[in-house]
Amino acid sequence: MATPHTHDQHASHGHGHGGYDPHGSYLAAKGGMLTTIRDWATTIDHKKIGVMYLVAILFMFFLGGMFALAIRAEMAVPTTLQNGVIHGQLFQSGDDIAKGNNIYNRVFSLHGIIMVFLVIVPSVPASLGNFFLPLLIGAKDVAFPRLNLASWYIYLTGSVFAVIALVMGGVDTGWTFYVPYSTMTEEGHLKVVWMILAAFILGFSSIFTGLNFVVTVHKLRAPGMGWFDMPLFVWGIYATSIIQVLATPVIGITLLLLIFERLFNIGVFDPRMGGDPVLFQHFFWFYSHPVVYVMILPGMAIISEIIAVHSRKQIFGYRAVAFSSLAIAGIAFIVWGHHLFTSQGEVASVIFSALTFLVAIPTAVKVFNWITTLFRGSIALTTPMLYALGFLFTFSIGGLTGLFLGALSTDLHLHDTYFIVAHFHYVMMGGTIIAFIGGIHHWWPKMFGKMYNELGGKIGFWLVFVGFNLTFFPQFILGTQGMPRRYASYDIVNNPGFTFIHQLSTAGSGILALGMFVHLFVFLHSLVMGRKAAANPWGGLTFEWTHASSPPIEHNFEHEPVCTHGPYDYDDIVPANTKPGEFVLPTPSPAGARHH
Amino acid sequence: MATIDTHQHGAPSTGPSTGFDSRPYHERYKAASHFRDREHEFDAVKMGVWLFLSTEVLLFSGMFVAYAVLRFLHPEAFVNGSHYLDRIPGLANTIVLLLSSYTIASAVRNAQLGQFGKLKLNLLITNLCAIAFLLIKFIFEYGPKIAQGKLPGKLFHYPGAHDPSEPLWWGIYWAATGIHATHVIGGIIMISWLLVRANKRHFGPTHYTAIEGVALYWHIVDIVWIFLFPLLYLIH
């Protein structure tokens, strides 16, 4: 039990084409090209499903990123009419400025819809969560593997619907689908319905993934693993899954009513018929605010893993970090009104403002615990660790500027400006995406059995980090100076200062994109000619490092693992960078006698 | 630790052959390989079903919130609207659904006790009730209303409307009952699937997970109607 038996990697590749080998890598081909494609398309292996999600999500990230670059290009040289001459013609066709502005509306809407519904919401849970949740708790698979595969195909279907809407000309509703934009623009055209249906279908994918994970965590933990022996990644994904299950149905009914509204004008959200458009906003944010935490909690979950493993230290305040995830999930459901400060009653706004500040408490608990974990740790500045440190920096800015917006008086000034844009990009991009990329690097050796180039990873990090801050920090300044969001243009004659700040931001977006392509190159390079990864390259103590080979075998573990120590007991156990089979645990302390 | 058979899925088993296993499916049935045993799997599935039902409850609660808000804004239209609804088919449907909830609960019991004939009979009655619900709905309610033009939103063309917000009422009526009816259709598909499997003797005292899950779903469909009936038909 103490010395997990891990088979020799080299032998397994030899079996690749010779038929099915239960001890081979999950990546090993089971036959020719067609067999392999069929195998992946019908697989119920959570690892393969996770990898397919990862590829799809990264592709969608690329697509959404292209729209983002288009937005930045327009804002650097905005279309303006000066002395009868049109300047900056990015989205122009002929002399019609309004037409170009319409295209701009579509571009930022598509950027938002793709990034929120197709990238950030599924990003960490569906890819890394799918791959690592069962491994981290010592299970062979998620509780419902076929539901998991169904969930993947539902995601694909939703993506296809979104692409159909895009091909039909795209929508200009903004990602929030606010009425009346979503019900009255381009009446009679079905593309808005396609896009709303896409979001509706993606909701099912989200619900099924969340449901699957909740049951998996409850029912499939390895023998000996109590709730407080779970790695913090599992806690984070668990809290996320609960929000997914409880919030997504509400957007389901909202989007259904919106489709009925669009097709039959049933009037629920239409004041001309006696309905209430603010009701839509309440419905929408009752889902979409909790979903902000669906986006950030998995990012936080990754950071807890990276910081503990790469500073080789017991996480400080394990229970506080675990419970803060649940606290965030709980508070998530009572703060939606802060998106309606300008449309709801004053008393409601005051109450929601006060509740909003509560979110800062569990969030700060996490940040302080991570920093304290670093204290006197033996910090290895690997690419994942750099991303974790970058996360602490950017996420803190994102979180603290959220307080400016939660306070009613300052929100009055900052509402609907670039300050909002900067704030949520610091949280979503500077939080979730930064953590996601860090997590991909952290688990890359385990997923594909190859090391990535560390220098390449670090160059990528610095480009992304500098590019990100250069893109979005100037937008805080723009916002405080009154630049409204979602505008295709601004007065470059009377506001020459705006132009410079916008151009700084655009320059940053270029550096950011370059950093992303460096990462893409490093990943492809690793797949083709990367050094073979050891089972435990970082010296982690959780099951995926100690009990599974890199990459894991089809059934994850040769023997069902038993939990004998806490996930971060670095005080007792000093793992070396071991080869498979050489990892030795000291005499296990009895269950329950652990440090946290 | 050794209870998990690593060879169970993947290629057809080449493990020790015991010849043709003549026991019925529900006795032969082994849990999926990532579960310890059938009971472990049953617990997990049941938990999953309950979570799914909580999403159903939340879906309909959005509908009920919309009903409450709009009723608060336009009480006259809603009072008026409920007078248009015929309580007799509504009541008949309530009885039909309650009966079907009883029969599907009995079906679970039959499976647990190995009463295969009664199991099939109860599932059949449940399905007939579900179909009866839809028939009553379409013949006595939806049909006449479509003919009279009592339709949602812009499709509304009923000449005798008393209140300008009446199209809104019909919007709520059609959305709520339509989404519920869709769930009934989903139930019919699942119960038919159970019937086919029950006919093949897939269920018995040791394996009735699917019946339990569908029964729980069917109770939720029933309960939603128990709320819709008074809210739409009875309250004036």
Side-chain angles (χ1 to χ4, degrees), chain A residues 537-573:
Chain A
W538 312 126
L541 289 179
T542 40
F543 285 147
E544 89 275 31
W545 302 117
T546 58
H547 285 63
S549 47
S550 299
I553 60 166
E554 185 150 344
H555 298 294
N556 294 350
F557 308 105
E558 289 286 338
H559 300 282
E560 190 184 13
V562 174
C563 186
T564 55
H565 57 84
Y568 313 109
D569 280 350
Y570 287 95
D571 301 351
D572 299 339
I573 304 162

CSV table of all heavy atoms in Angstrom, one decimal, chain A residues 537-573:
chain,number,residue,atom,x,y,z
A,537,PRO,N,6.7,15.1,-11.4
A,537,PRO,CA,7.8,16.1,-11.7
A,537,PRO,C,7.8,17.2,-10.7
A,537,PRO,O,8.9,17.8,-10.5
A,537,PRO,CB,7.4,16.6,-13.1
A,537,PRO,CG,6.0,16.3,-13.3
A,537,PRO,CD,5.7,15.1,-12.5
A,538,TRP,N,6.7,17.6,-10.0
A,538,TRP,CA,6.8,18.7,-9.1
A,538,TRP,C,6.9,18.2,-7.7
A,538,TRP,O,6.9,19.1,-6.8
A,538,TRP,CB,5.5,19.6,-9.2
A,538,TRP,CG,5.1,19.9,-10.6
A,538,TRP,CD1,3.8,19.7,-11.1
A,538,TRP,CD2,5.8,20.6,-11.6
A,538,TRP,NE1,3.8,20.2,-12.4
A,538,TRP,CE2,5.0,20.8,-12.7
A,538,TRP,CE3,7.1,21.1,-11.7
A,538,TRP,CZ2,5.4,21.4,-13.9
A,538,TRP,CZ3,7.5,21.8,-12.8
A,538,TRP,CH2,6.7,21.9,-13.9
A,539,GLY,N,6.9,16.9,-7.4
A,539,GLY,CA,6.9,16.5,-6.0
A,539,GLY,C,5.6,16.7,-5.3
A,539,GLY,O,5.6,17.2,-4.2
A,540,GLY,N,4.5,16.5,-6.0
A,540,GLY,CA,3.2,16.7,-5.3
A,540,GLY,C,2.8,15.6,-4.5
A,540,GLY,O,3.4,14.5,-4.6
A,541,LEU,N,1.8,15.7,-3.6
A,541,LEU,CA,1.4,14.7,-2.7
A,541,LEU,C,0.0,14.1,-2.9
A,541,LEU,O,-0.4,13.3,-2.2
A,541,LEU,CB,1.5,15.2,-1.2
A,541,LEU,CG,2.9,15.4,-0.7
A,541,LEU,CD1,2.8,16.0,0.7
A,541,LEU,CD2,3.7,14.2,-0.7
A,542,THR,N,-0.6,14.7,-3.9
A,542,THR,CA,-2.0,14.2,-4.2
A,542,THR,C,-1.9,13.0,-5.2
A,542,THR,O,-0.9,12.8,-5.8
A,542,THR,CB,-2.8,15.4,-4.8
A,542,THR,OG1,-2.0,16.1,-5.7
A,542,THR,CG2,-3.3,16.3,-3.7
A,543,PHE,N,-3.0,12.3,-5.2
A,543,PHE,CA,-3.1,11.0,-5.9
A,543,PHE,C,-2.6,11.0,-7.4
A,543,PHE,O,-1.9,10.1,-7.8
A,543,PHE,CB,-4.5,10.4,-5.9
A,543,PHE,CG,-4.9,9.8,-4.6
A,543,PHE,CD1,-6.3,9.9,-4.3
A,543,PHE,CD2,-4.0,9.2,-3.8
A,543,PHE,CE1,-6.7,9.4,-3.1
A,543,PHE,CE2,-4.4,8.7,-2.6
A,543,PHE,CZ,-5.8,8.8,-2.2
A,544,GLU,N,-2.9,12.2,-8.1
A,544,GLU,CA,-2.6,12.2,-9.5
A,544,GLU,C,-1.1,12.1,-9.7
A,544,GLU,O,-0.6,11.6,-10.7
A,544,GLU,CB,-3.2,13.3,-10.2
A,544,GLU,CG,-2.5,14.6,-10.3
A,544,GLU,CD,-2.7,15.5,-9.0
A,544,GLU,OE1,-2.9,14.9,-7.9
A,544,GLU,OE2,-2.6,16.7,-9.1
A,545,TRP,N,-0.3,12.7,-8.7
A,545,TRP,CA,1.1,12.6,-8.8
A,545,TRP,C,1.7,11.4,-8.2
A,545,TRP,O,2.7,10.8,-8.7
A,545,TRP,CB,1.8,13.8,-8.0
A,545,TRP,CG,1.3,15.2,-8.5
A,545,TRP,CD1,0.6,16.1,-7.8
A,545,TRP,CD2,1.5,15.7,-9.9
A,545,TRP,NE1,0.3,17.2,-8.6
A,545,TRP,CE2,0.8,17.0,-9.9
A,545,TRP,CE3,2.1,15.3,-11.0
A,545,TRP,CZ2,0.8,17.8,-11.0
A,545,TRP,CZ3,2.1,16.1,-12.2
A,545,TRP,CH2,1.5,17.3,-12.1
A,546,THR,N,1.2,10.9,-7.0
A,546,THR,CA,1.8,9.8,-6.3
A,546,THR,C,1.4,8.4,-6.8
A,546,THR,O,2.1,7.5,-6.7
A,546,THR,CB,1.5,9.9,-4.8
A,546,THR,OG1,0.1,9.9,-4.6
A,546,THR,CG2,2.1,11.1,-4.2
A,547,HIS,N,0.2,8.3,-7.3
A,547,HIS,CA,-0.4,7.0,-7.6
A,547,HIS,C,-0.6,6.7,-9.1
A,547,HIS,O,-1.1,5.7,-9.5
A,547,HIS,CB,-1.6,6.7,-6.8
A,547,HIS,CG,-1.4,6.4,-5.4
A,547,HIS,ND1,-0.8,7.3,-4.6
A,547,HIS,CD2,-1.6,5.3,-4.7
A,547,HIS,CE1,-0.7,6.8,-3.3
A,547,HIS,NE2,-1.2,5.6,-3.4
A,548,ALA,N,-0.5,7.7,-10.0
A,548,ALA,CA,-0.8,7.5,-11.4
A,548,ALA,C,0.5,7.9,-12.2
A,548,ALA,O,1.3,8.7,-11.9
A,548,ALA,CB,-1.9,8.5,-11.8
A,549,SER,N,0.6,7.1,-13.3
A,549,SER,CA,1.8,7.4,-14.2
A,549,SER,C,1.5,8.6,-15.0
A,549,SER,O,0.3,9.1,-15.1
A,549,SER,CB,2.1,6.2,-15.0
A,549,SER,OG,0.9,5.7,-15.6
A,550,SER,N,2.5,9.1,-15.7
A,550,SER,CA,2.3,10.3,-16.6
A,550,SER,C,2.4,9.8,-18.1
A,550,SER,O,3.6,9.4,-18.4
A,550,SER,CB,3.3,11.4,-16.4
A,550,SER,OG,3.2,11.9,-15.1
A,551,PRO,N,1.5,9.8,-18.9
A,551,PRO,CA,0.0,10.0,-18.6
A,551,PRO,C,-0.6,8.8,-17.9
A,551,PRO,O,0.0,7.7,-18.0
A,551,PRO,CB,-0.5,10.2,-20.0
A,551,PRO,CG,0.3,9.4,-20.9
A,551,PRO,CD,1.7,9.5,-20.3
A,552,PRO,N,-1.7,9.0,-17.2
A,552,PRO,CA,-2.3,7.9,-16.5
A,552,PRO,C,-2.8,6.8,-17.4
A,552,PRO,O,-3.0,7.0,-18.6
A,552,PRO,CB,-3.6,8.6,-15.8
A,552,PRO,CG,-3.4,10.0,-16.0
A,552,PRO,CD,-2.5,10.3,-17.2
A,553,ILE,N,-2.9,5.6,-16.9
A,553,ILE,CA,-3.5,4.5,-17.6
A,553,ILE,C,-5.0,4.7,-17.8
A,553,ILE,O,-5.5,5.6,-17.1
A,553,ILE,CB,-3.2,3.2,-17.0
A,553,ILE,CG1,-3.8,3.1,-15.6
A,553,ILE,CG2,-1.7,2.9,-16.9
A,553,ILE,CD1,-3.9,1.7,-15.0
A,554,GLU,N,-5.6,3.9,-18.6
A,554,GLU,CA,-7.0,4.1,-18.9
A,554,GLU,C,-7.9,4.1,-17.7
A,554,GLU,O,-8.8,4.9,-17.6
A,554,GLU,CB,-7.5,3.1,-19.9
A,554,GLU,CG,-8.9,3.3,-20.4
A,554,GLU,CD,-9.1,2.8,-21.7
A,554,GLU,OE1,-8.2,2.5,-22.5
A,554,GLU,OE2,-10.3,2.7,-22.1
A,555,HIS,N,-7.6,3.3,-16.7
A,555,HIS,CA,-8.4,3.2,-15.5
A,555,HIS,C,-7.8,4.0,-14.4
A,555,HIS,O,-8.1,3.8,-13.2
A,555,HIS,CB,-8.6,1.8,-15.1
A,555,HIS,CG,-9.3,1.0,-16.1
A,555,HIS,ND1,-10.7,1.3,-16.5
A,555,HIS,CD2,-9.0,0.0,-16.9
A,555,HIS,CE1,-11.0,0.4,-17.4
A,555,HIS,NE2,-10.0,-0.3,-17.7
A,556,ASN,N,-6.9,4.9,-14.7
A,556,ASN,CA,-6.3,5.9,-13.8
A,556,ASN,C,-5.2,5.3,-12.9
A,556,ASN,O,-4.1,5.8,-12.9
A,556,ASN,CB,-7.3,6.6,-12.9
A,556,ASN,CG,-8.3,7.5,-13.7
A,556,ASN,OD1,-8.0,7.7,-14.9
A,556,ASN,ND2,-9.3,8.0,-13.1
A,557,PHE,N,-5.6,4.3,-12.1
A,557,PHE,CA,-4.6,3.7,-11.2
A,557,PHE,C,-4.5,2.2,-11.4
A,557,PHE,O,-5.5,1.5,-11.7
A,557,PHE,CB,-5.1,4.0,-9.7
A,557,PHE,CG,-5.5,5.4,-9.5
A,557,PHE,CD1,-6.8,5.8,-9.4
A,557,PHE,CD2,-4.4,6.3,-9.3
A,557,PHE,CE1,-7.1,7.2,-9.1
A,557,PHE,CE2,-4.7,7.7,-9.1
A,557,PHE,CZ,-6.1,8.1,-9.0
A,558,GLU,N,-3.3,1.7,-11.2
A,558,GLU,CA,-3.1,0.2,-11.2
A,558,GLU,C,-3.9,-0.4,-10.1
A,558,GLU,O,-4.4,-1.5,-10.2
A,558,GLU,CB,-1.6,-0.1,-11.2
A,558,GLU,CG,-0.9,0.2,-12.4
A,558,GLU,CD,-1.1,-0.7,-13.6
A,558,GLU,OE1,-1.6,-1.8,-13.3
A,558,GLU,OE2,-0.9,-0.3,-14.7
A,559,HIS,N,-3.8,0.2,-8.9
A,559,HIS,CA,-4.5,-0.3,-7.7
A,559,HIS,C,-5.3,0.9,-7.1
A,559,HIS,O,-4.8,2.0,-7.2
A,559,HIS,CB,-3.5,-0.8,-6.7
A,559,HIS,CG,-2.7,-1.9,-7.2
A,559,HIS,ND1,-3.2,-3.2,-7.3
A,559,HIS,CD2,-1.4,-2.0,-7.7
A,559,HIS,CE1,-2.3,-4.0,-7.8
A,559,HIS,NE2,-1.2,-3.3,-8.0
A,560,GLU,N,-6.4,0.6,-6.6
A,560,GLU,CA,-7.2,1.7,-6.0
A,560,GLU,C,-6.4,2.3,-4.9
A,560,GLU,O,-6.0,1.7,-4.0
A,560,GLU,CB,-8.5,1.1,-5.5
A,560,GLU,CG,-9.5,2.1,-5.1
A,560,GLU,CD,-10.7,1.6,-4.4
A,560,GLU,OE1,-10.8,0.4,-4.1
A,560,GLU,OE2,-11.7,2.3,-4.3
A,561,PRO,N,-6.2,3.6,-5.0
A,561,PRO,CA,-5.4,4.3,-4.0
A,561,PRO,C,-6.2,4.4,-2.6
A,561,PRO,O,-7.4,4.4,-2.6
A,561,PRO,CB,-5.1,5.7,-4.5
A,561,PRO,CG,-6.2,5.9,-5.6
A,561,PRO,CD,-6.7,4.6,-6.0
A,562,VAL,N,-5.4,4.5,-1.6
A,562,VAL,CA,-6.0,4.7,-0.2
A,562,VAL,C,-5.4,5.9,0.3
A,562,VAL,O,-4.2,6.2,0.2
A,562,VAL,CB,-5.7,3.5,0.7
A,562,VAL,CG1,-6.1,3.7,2.1
A,562,VAL,CG2,-6.3,2.2,0.1
A,563,CYS,N,-6.2,6.8,0.9
A,563,CYS,CA,-5.7,8.1,1.4
A,563,CYS,C,-5.1,7.9,2.8
A,563,CYS,O,-5.7,7.4,3.7
A,563,CYS,CB,-6.9,9.0,1.5
A,563,CYS,SG,-6.4,10.7,2.0
A,564,THR,N,-3.8,8.1,2.9
A,564,THR,CA,-3.1,7.9,4.2
A,564,THR,C,-2.5,9.2,4.7
A,564,THR,O,-2.0,9.2,5.9
A,564,THR,CB,-1.9,7.0,4.0
A,564,THR,OG1,-1.1,7.5,2.9
A,564,THR,CG2,-2.4,5.6,3.6
A,565,HIS,N,-2.6,10.3,4.0
A,565,HIS,CA,-2.0,11.6,4.5
A,565,HIS,C,-2.8,12.7,3.8
A,565,HIS,O,-3.5,12.5,2.8
A,565,HIS,CB,-0.5,11.7,4.2
A,565,HIS,CG,-0.2,11.5,2.7
A,565,HIS,ND1,-0.3,12.6,1.8
A,565,HIS,CD2,0.1,10.5,2.0
A,565,HIS,CE1,0.0,12.2,0.6
A,565,HIS,NE2,0.2,10.9,0.7
A,566,GLY,N,-2.7,13.9,4.4
A,566,GLY,CA,-3.4,15.0,3.9
A,566,GLY,C,-2.8,15.4,2.5
A,566,GLY,O,-1.6,15.0,2.2
A,567,PRO,N,-3.5,16.2,1.8
A,567,PRO,CA,-3.0,16.6,0.4
A,567,PRO,C,-1.7,17.4,0.4
A,567,PRO,O,-1.0,17.5,-0.6
A,567,PRO,CB,-4.2,17.3,-0.2
A,567,PRO,CG,-5.0,17.8,0.9
A,567,PRO,CD,-4.8,16.8,2.0
A,568,TYR,N,-1.5,18.1,1.5
A,568,TYR,CA,-0.3,19.0,1.5
A,568,TYR,C,0.6,18.8,2.7
A,568,TYR,O,1.2,19.7,3.2
A,568,TYR,CB,-0.8,20.5,1.4
A,568,TYR,CG,-1.9,20.7,0.4
A,568,TYR,CD1,-3.2,21.0,0.8
A,568,TYR,CD2,-1.6,20.7,-0.9
A,568,TYR,CE1,-4.2,21.2,-0.1
A,568,TYR,CE2,-2.6,20.9,-1.9
A,568,TYR,CZ,-3.9,21.1,-1.5
A,568,TYR,OH,-4.8,21.3,-2.4
A,569,ASP,N,0.7,17.6,3.1
A,569,ASP,CA,1.5,17.3,4.3
A,569,ASP,C,3.0,17.3,4.1
A,569,ASP,O,3.7,16.4,4.3
A,569,ASP,CB,1.1,15.9,4.9
A,569,ASP,CG,-0.1,16.0,5.7
A,569,ASP,OD1,-0.6,17.2,6.0
A,569,ASP,OD2,-0.7,15.0,6.1
A,570,TYR,N,3.5,18.5,3.6
A,570,TYR,CA,4.9,18.6,3.2
A,570,TYR,C,5.8,18.6,4.5
A,570,TYR,O,7.0,18.3,4.4
A,570,TYR,CB,5.2,19.8,2.4
A,570,TYR,CG,4.7,19.7,1.0
A,570,TYR,CD1,3.4,20.1,0.6
A,570,TYR,CD2,5.4,19.0,0.0
A,570,TYR,CE1,3.0,20.0,-0.7
A,570,TYR,CE2,5.0,18.8,-1.3
A,570,TYR,CZ,3.7,19.3,-1.6
A,570,TYR,OH,3.2,19.2,-2.9
A,571,ASP,N,5.2,18.9,5.6
A,571,ASP,CA,6.0,18.9,6.9
A,571,ASP,C,6.5,17.5,7.2
A,571,ASP,O,7.6,17.3,7.8
A,571,ASP,CB,5.2,19.4,8.0
A,571,ASP,CG,4.7,20.9,7.7
A,571,ASP,OD1,5.2,21.4,6.7
A,571,ASP,OD2,3.9,21.4,8.5
A,572,ASP,N,5.7,16.5,6.9
A,572,ASP,CA,6.0,15.1,7.2
A,572,ASP,C,6.7,14.4,6.1
A,572,ASP,O,7.5,13.5,6.3
A,572,ASP,CB,4.7,14.3,7.5
A,572,ASP,CG,4.0,14.9,8.7
A,572,ASP,OD1,4.6,15.6,9.4
A,572,ASP,OD2,2.8,14.6,8.8
A,573,ILE,N,6.4,14.7,4.9
A,573,ILE,CA,6.8,13.9,3.7
A,573,ILE,C,7.5,14.8,2.8
A,573,ILE,O,7.1,15.9,2.4
A,573,ILE,CB,5.5,13.4,3.0
A,573,ILE,CG1,4.7,12.6,4.0
A,573,ILE,CG2,5.9,12.5,1.8
A,573,ILE,CD1,3.3,12.3,3.5
